[in-house]
Amino acid sequence: MKRTLLCALLLATNVWVKAQDAVGYQMPPKTMADLLLAKPTPTVNIDAKGDWMLLSERNTLPSVEELARPEMRIAGMRINPNNFGPSRQVLTFSGFTLKNIKTGKSYPVTGLPASVNATGISWSPDQTKIAFTQTNAKSVDLYVINVLTQKAVKTNKLPLNNVMSGGITWVDNSTLLYKVIAKPANLAPVKPLTPTGPVVQQNLGKSAPSVTYQDMIKTPYDEKLYEFYATAQLVMNKNGVETPIGKPAIYASAQLSPDKKYMLVRTLHKPFSYLVPAQSFPSTVTITDLTGKTVKTLASLPSGEVKPSGYDNLQNVPRGFDWRDDEAATVTYAVPLDSGLIRKKVEFHDAVYALSAPFTGQPKELFKTETRFRNVQWGNADLALVSEGLRSKQTTKVSRYSPSTGKLEKLWERNQTDVYGNLGEPVTERNQYGRNVILTVDNGSKLLMNNVIGSSPQGDLPFLAKFDLNTKKSDIIWRCQPGQYEYVTDVLNPSRLVLVTRRETQTQVPNYYLKNLIARMADIQLTDFKNPYPQMEGVTKTKIQYKRSDGVDMTGDLYLPKGYNKDKDGPLPVLIWAYPAEFNSADDAAQIRGSKDRFITINPGGPVFFVTQGYAVLDNASMPIVARDGKKPNDTFVEQLEMNAKAAIDKLADLGVGDRNRVAVGGHSYGAFMTVNLLAHTNLFKAGLAESGAYNRTLTPFGFQNEERTYWEAPKLYYEMSPFSYADKIKTPLLLTHGDADDNTGTYPINSERLFAAVKGLGGTIRFVYLPYEAHGYRGKENLLHKLWEQNQWLEKYVKNAKPQQTAQAN
């Protein structure tokens, strides 16, 4: 009896070890690790006068220990309760250098804290000072750099409150507006040992569709915590002296008027929602003076819970409150004319109103839009640009609005997926209020348009153009030369066309240059950044083009290993990495995106690492999902995925660089969803790598990605697009990765947990890596290194060293 029990225990232990392969952190091959840990080049920020350049050193990847610091997940936010700031910041800076553009001399900034963790860089109106926030373990502080002395000084007395975003506003050259904590952290509400009762939610007949947000308020205690940490005090800091503005409140925003006499304030209040994040809580929009006294209450807005479903539908309330940049103190906002329902047949769907100081009169209607109003970019009394469009139809339209005459005239219109038709963004200038407004040239007749992407049939070639407001035609005056990738970052002198550009090639790291288009003098190099990735020297990158079986043109970025010769070395094992995109037009789907001439930069979450391990890597492989025969794109989602994948594999095989019998597919988020669908419905691949995906669409019943139909409107679609529905068909080895703190809408970790359990229970080959403290995008150094190790081991076993077999065919 004892022997039988012992055998049973040993057997159970054996099964557990196989199912729960607990391992410590592992390191990938050294080349991959070195690429991941390489220090990135600094970011560059140039003052409005073109005199000084701020070089900001970027912090390297945080450790898992840093990610594990205290974190509160409430109201759709991740809060550090020790310092009243966000617990996760993607981009922070570790140091600053100022460089004089005219002399070329560089000066390290002194007076910085011992360990710099900076964000929120902001130049003063006269460009002589730079403010930034410094995040510490117990507080968030405000520092100001004097550009002339290159010295930083801490200027706040009270710790900042950055829970509801950490905006810093320059009032004048010596005064800053920001939020500080209302109470210290040690006064936070204490969690009761026992609840006062159950948590109860109800709905009394109102339609309240809700997106699957994460980190919502769940209990009355959560409500108290949110209210405590989000409540802040506005202060005005003049030369280091902080003066309170109004009373403590939950400030969603506080915007200073152009003339610096008023504030446009939105405050949040109870009842707090358990279904939507903080920015959708009930709120009040007011205009106050600089003491905090209410001048005008503009609106009382309800909870976002009752927003109707559908991407172009919205609540029947005013929205988009903002200051008009070209006037002293005029508030603008939009009101729906269709009760918020886009399918309602009306001539105009939105109207935009304005109300000027002293805000005692009636709002004035400025214009109406035929589709859904998006925003206004202001210029002067004769020029503003009005943007409108429909997400459901992927359309966008820009019109010229004349504030003096009230005339609205269409300038251009395009499908948002038509990248060739993108004219760029208007160059701006600072007006008498210090606000950025539309710049005009040639006696006000033309706009200067900057397109930093510049998609074309030859690949991305950024350009600067003049758009004639009368003829409505665009004339390119400068364009990036083929063989490199260069775009305009700053227009220092629009009349003389003195520019700063950022230039790179496939082998030359991006650097900044001073360019004069009229003088046509030689470019002056402003920075001299070195290659942080010497391990990639010799790797080749090409943009390949191919067609899928229905004739849709496709592209991808092909990376081949250093020294590779297809005639000598033969076809390579392949990793295809992609992310699906929906199109209403096959022509738009066929447009070429990206440039073969960009410097090979390592994205910590990308696949390029594997080119150093002997793989042909096809990154950004086209995965278009195109509307056909009057149907919506997703109606043939799986069918089109298979066509896309087969076309890519065939192309690599035809080129002689890819072994069609040794191909893996991978992706992150919607790319992971794609990956598992391909494994469930085809036999084209040897392995799959799926990171932080959503695999059961019934968990996102009110829409997902660009699909706005609900589960109840299209249950068959939701079932067929869910790879979880076909877990019994997943026999290709699948490596699942997910962060246990995923904060993205819809991609709950339960997606990977349940898919793993299903495939395991059905006898498939699957491994599930649960990364501790990781959100939707992975950041922890140890986690990223270990993820690369896992993926490399998986590909080595199931792809590179796969046993020979007959050519894989689709089911």
Side-chain angles (χ1 to χ4, degrees):
M1 179 70 178
K2 289 182 179 179
R3 181 186 177 111
T4 303
L5 179 61
L6 179 61
C7 288
L9 287 171
L10 287 172
L11 182 60
T13 303
N14 248 347
V15 172
W16 178 257
V17 168
K18 289 179 181 178
Q20 302 293 126
D21 192 4
V23 296
Y25 280 120
Q26 301 294 315
M27 288 288 288
K30 185 176 183 304
T31 302
M32 299 177 80
D34 289 346
L35 287 172
L36 179 72
L37 300 177
K39 188 174 178 62
T41 57
T43 62
V44 172
N45 194 305
I46 297 174
D47 72 12
K49 297 178 180 179
D51 294 333
W52 289 91
M53 172 184 289
L54 180 70
L55 306 178
S56 305
E57 296 287 340
R58 287 184 277 177
N59 274 312
T60 52
L61 297 167
S63 66
V64 172
E65 179 188 8
E66 292 176 70
L67 297 183
R69 289 172 183 172
E71 180 178 71
M72 220 180 288
R73 303 174 187 176
I74 48 176
M77 298 183 297
R78 302 273 169 102
I79 300 168
N80 184 330
N82 291 340
N83 64 16
F84 289 81
S87 61
R88 299 169 184 268
Q89 294 179 333
V90 176
L91 179 61
T92 62
F93 303 110
S94 60
F96 300 107
T97 299
L98 277 162
K99 183 172 183 177
N100 188 291
I101 293 177
K102 294 179 181 178
T103 67
K105 291 184 178 180
S106 296
Y107 308 88
V109 174
T110 61
L112 297 170
S115 179
V116 182
N117 191 33
T119 56
I121 294 170
S122 176
W123 292 78
S124 64
D126 66 359
Q127 311 293 285
T128 63
K129 297 175 184 176
I130 304 169
F132 68 88
T133 56
Q134 160 69 14
T135 301
N136 310 303
K138 299 293 184 181
S139 67
V140 178
D141 291 321
L142 175 63
Y143 278 74
V144 174
I145 301 170
N146 185 310
V147 175
L148 298 180
T149 64
Q150 300 90 46
K151 184 177 181 180
V153 175
K154 177 178 172 290
T155 188
N156 65 300
K157 299 295 188 297
L158 294 170
L160 275 63
N161 186 324
N162 282 357
V163 169
M164 296 297 298
S165 79
I168 298 171
T169 302
W170 285 96
V171 181
D172 56 43
N173 296 318
S174 59
T175 309
L176 287 153
L177 176 70
Y178 52 92
K179 294 177 291 186
V180 298
I181 64 172
K183 296 178 181 178
N186 60 5
L187 296 181
V190 177
K191 186 174 184 178
L193 294 177
T194 58
T196 58
V199 175
V200 177
Q201 300 183 60
Q202 70 175 0
N203 185 64
L204 302 177
K206 289 186 177 181
S207 176
S210 180
V211 176
T212 50
Y213 294 111
Q214 306 218 38
D215 304 329
M216 295 295 97
I217 287 176
K218 296 181 177 66
T219 66
Y221 176 63
D222 283 350
E223 293 189 57
K224 292 180 180 179
L225 283 177
Y226 170 72
E227 186 173 23
F228 176 82
Y229 283 102
T231 298
Q233 173 66 61
L234 276 174
V235 298
M236 201 87 78
N237 182 327
K238 187 174 182 64
N239 295 322
V241 178
E242 292 173 334
T243 302
I245 305 297
K247 296 180 179 180
I250 302 178
Y251 292 97
S253 61
Q255 301 168 264
L256 201 62
S257 63
D259 65 1
K260 315 295 175 63
K261 293 181 180 180
Y262 303 96
M263 290 189 297
L264 178 60
V265 176
R266 187 166 77 94
T267 55
L268 307 181
H269 56 77
K270 293 180 178 178
F272 300 144
S273 174
Y274 285 39
L275 295 177
V276 294
Q279 287 292 349
S280 294
F281 287 176
S283 63
T284 301
V285 181
T286 59
I287 297 171
T288 73
D289 61 20
L290 295 194
T291 69
K293 181 181 177 182
T294 298
V295 175
K296 175 77 172 180
T297 298
L298 294 173
S300 182
L301 304 176
S303 169
E305 285 185 16
V306 293
K307 174 189 175 296
S309 63
Y311 290 137
D312 296 308
N313 293 331
L314 39 79
Q315 290 175 285
N316 190 22
V317 295
R319 72 184 194 277
F321 292 89
D322 202 358
W323 291 111
R324 183 169 157 175
D325 293 315
D326 63 334
E327 289 192 347
T330 298
V331 169
T332 61
Y333 59 93
V335 174
L337 300 176
D338 54 10
S339 303
L341 304 175
I342 198 66
R343 291 185 181 179
K344 188 173 182 179
K345 293 184 178 181
V346 292
E347 185 178 1
F348 299 100
H349 285 274
D350 281 325
V352 173
Y353 291 85
L355 181 64
S356 300
F359 314 108
T360 55
Q362 292 299 311
K364 174 187 175 183
E365 182 184 295
L366 300 182
F367 54 83
K368 297 175 182 177
T369 59
E370 295 177 342
T371 55
R372 193 60 79 206
F373 167 76
R374 288 175 175 163
N375 59 67
V376 181
Q377 194 169 6
W378 299 99
N380 52 47
D382 296 316
L383 175 66
L385 296 180
V386 175
S387 176
E388 60 178 290
L390 295 174
R391 177 178 173 181
S392 58
K393 296 184 180 298
Q394 299 178 322
T395 60
T396 184
K397 179 169 74 172
V398 174
S399 300
R400 176 183 183 175
Y401 171 64
S402 172
S404 59
T405 66
K407 183 180 179 181
L408 190 68
E409 177 188 16
K410 185 179 78 173
L411 291 179
W412 64 82
E413 187 173 13
R414 68 181 180 93
N415 195 297
Q416 288 176 285
T417 58
D418 172 20
V419 292
Y420 291 175
N422 187 352
L423 299 179
E425 295 296 325
V427 174
T428 61
E429 62 181 346
R430 296 169 74 86
N431 64 7
Q432 70 269 33
Y433 302 114
R435 313 282 280 218
N436 288 324
V437 295
I438 299 167
L439 166 76
T440 59
V441 294
D442 296 351
N443 297 317
S445 65
K446 297 175 182 176
L447 306 178
L448 202 55
M449 303 290 288
N450 186 19
N451 191 322
V452 299
I453 299 176
S455 298
S456 77
Q458 291 76 45
D460 289 354
L461 295 172
F463 61 80
L464 191 68
K466 286 184 178 181
F467 180 85
D468 193 307
L469 291 166
N470 297 315
T471 66
K472 302 177 185 179
K473 293 183 179 179
S474 185
D475 179 30
I476 295 176
I477 58 175
W478 171 85
R479 187 156 205 164
C480 167
Q481 295 298 306
Q484 60 188 19
Y485 185 83
E486 183 177 18
Y487 63 89
V488 176
T489 64
D490 298 85
V491 178
L492 302 184
N493 188 319
S495 61
R496 297 183 180 181
L497 292 179
V498 179
L499 320 170
V500 175
T501 64
R502 184 180 185 269
R503 183 192 307 162
E504 61 192 285
T505 69
Q506 196 175 121
T507 58
Q508 294 176 329
V509 68
N511 272 292
Y512 290 77
Y513 296 81
L514 188 65
K515 183 186 294 287
N516 190 318
L517 296 187
I518 293 180
R520 298 190 179 278
M521 53 193 294
D523 293 351
I524 299 172
Q525 187 168 341
L526 299 176
T527 61
D528 189 23
F529 301 141
K530 305 304 180 184
N531 183 1
Y533 312 115
Q535 305 88 340
M536 295 295 291
E537 292 179 1
V539 169
T540 61
K541 173 187 175 184
T542 55
K543 181 164 286 291
I544 62 172
Q545 300 179 42
Y546 49 101
K547 288 182 183 290
R548 71 184 194 186
S549 59
D550 63 354
V552 174
D553 291 314
M554 303 170 66
T555 64
D557 297 325
L558 175 62
Y559 297 83
L560 296 174
K562 176 182 180 179
Y564 170 69
N565 184 309
K566 68 178 182 180
D567 296 326
K568 176 183 174 184
D569 303 320
L572 297 171
V574 176
L575 173 59
I576 296 175
W577 198 265
Y579 191 96
E582 296 90 343
F583 296 87
N584 288 326
S585 160
D587 290 339
D588 290 354
Q591 291 179 346
I592 296 174
R593 294 161 172 83
S595 168
K596 65 179 177 57
D597 298 313
R598 299 206 69 167
F599 181 73
I600 301 176
T601 301
I602 300 300
N603 175 354
V608 180
F609 298 95
F610 291 96
V611 75
T612 67
Q613 304 305 303
Y615 294 86
V617 176
L618 186 64
D619 194 13
N620 299 315
S622 293
M623 284 285 164
I625 309 298
V626 184
R628 300 188 301 184
D629 303 324
K631 296 181 178 180
K632 292 183 179 292
N634 283 337
D635 291 342
T636 52
F637 180 82
V638 172
E639 175 189 339
Q640 293 193 60
L641 277 188
E642 182 176 347
M643 282 196 295
N644 295 335
K646 190 173 187 308
I649 294 171
D650 287 346
K651 179 64 176 180
L652 295 175
D654 290 346
L655 290 173
V657 300
D659 181 348
R660 67 167 65 248
N661 292 306
R662 292 187 297 161
V663 183
V665 63
H668 185 87
S669 193
Y670 209 55
F673 174 72
M674 167 206 75
T675 295
V676 182
N677 261 308
L678 283 168
L679 299 195
H681 295 285
T682 78
N683 290 323
L684 294 169
F685 300 97
K686 282 293 187 180
L689 308 177
E691 301 178 358
S692 296
Y695 310 115
N696 185 345
R697 297 277 45 137
T698 66
L699 296 176
T700 56
F702 286 102
F704 56 91
Q705 207 69 6
N706 284 315
E707 178 56 65
E708 65 175 338
R709 289 170 289 183
T710 69
Y711 167 78
W712 297 274
E713 292 175 300
K716 186 172 183 286
L717 174 81
Y718 275 70
Y719 178 87
E720 293 180 348
M721 285 187 67
S722 298
F724 182 83
S725 303
Y726 302 91
D728 59 327
K729 307 295 184 185
I730 300 175
K731 302 304 179 184
T732 302
L734 172 61
L735 177 63
L736 283 177
T737 309
H738 218 117
D740 70 2
D742 194 322
D743 58 347
N744 183 55
T745 299
T747 53
Y748 289 109
I750 195 174
N751 279 279
S752 291
E753 294 170 359
R754 294 294 88 207
L755 182 65
F756 171 75
V759 176
K760 173 179 173 289
L762 293 162
T765 300
I766 191 167
R767 183 176 173 91
F768 178 25
V769 182
Y770 221 178
L771 298 177
Y773 303 109
E774 292 292 358
H776 191 59
Y778 313 147
R779 297 179 58 230
K781 178 171 54 180
E782 298 90 342
N783 283 333
L784 284 165
L785 289 166
H786 183 84
K787 185 198 76 165
L788 288 175
W789 176 80
E790 291 276 5
Q791 292 178 337
N792 188 56
Q793 294 286 107
W794 200 255
L795 296 181
E796 286 283 316
K797 180 177 181 179
Y798 292 111
V799 180
K800 182 183 287 186
N801 298 309
K803 296 178 181 178
Q805 66 175 43
Q806 292 183 348
T807 300
Q809 298 292 331
N811 283 342

